[in-house]
Amino acid sequence: MARLAIRARSAGLSASDVDAALTQWRALIVTWLDRGTLHLVRAEDYWWLHPLTTPPLRTGNSRWLAQEGVPPQDAERAVAAARTALAAGGPLTRSQLRERVAAAGVRTEGQAMVHILARPASAA
């Protein structure tokens, strides 16, 4: 949808231009800012938006993980396992990441995996 939204607000852009801005030029970033909704922002704006918007996200993320039975040390282990898997294998599906995190001994049932995936976006 972001491709269509940008095209509708721009002149002379194609969907492939938007894709290139996301992947080749890395001028755009898709990230969680302020709440659990994904936002599309310019890469140059991310660095000042992130510290302004993510403290409440981090607090909420920690609370949700605790409610899902994932203590802070497990959450950090889960994030490390996901990072290692992505670094070794490139893009992975949510199911594939869930397998890697579960193999690290972290609970992924219920909504735990959703909040594990959101955790790095709220890191200080």
Side-chain angles (χ1 to χ4, degrees):
M1 296 308 298
R3 293 164 56 197
L4 294 175
I6 291 172
R7 271 193 36 217
R9 292 166 176 82
S10 306
L13 286 180
S14 68
S16 62
D17 292 328
V18 177
D19 289 342
L22 282 162
T23 58
Q24 278 179 276
W25 310 324
R26 303 211 175 194
L28 298 174
I29 297 172
V30 178
T31 187
W32 283 288
L33 290 174
D34 189 37
R35 59 184 195 271
T37 304
L38 287 171
H39 291 79
L40 180 71
V41 298
R42 294 181 327 160
E44 63 194 59
D45 291 333
Y46 173 81
W47 302 109
W48 67 266
L49 285 169
H50 182 266
L52 289 176
T53 62
T54 55
L57 183 61
R58 180 67 168 198
T59 301
N61 178 265
S62 295
R63 185 180 63 249
W64 280 106
L65 283 167
Q67 290 174 356
E68 289 293 328
V70 181
Q73 66 274 15
D74 284 3
E76 297 310 317
R77 197 167 70 248
V79 170
R83 282 187 179 138
T84 298
L86 291 168
L92 298 170
T93 66
R94 189 174 290 200
S95 294
Q96 291 169 323
L97 279 172
R98 181 184 302 271
E99 290 171 9
R100 298 330 190 271
V101 169
V106 178
R107 184 182 186 290
T108 61
E109 294 79 22
Q111 294 294 305
M113 193 63 194
V114 171
H115 299 292
I116 288 167
L117 293 175
R119 190 161 185 87
S122 66

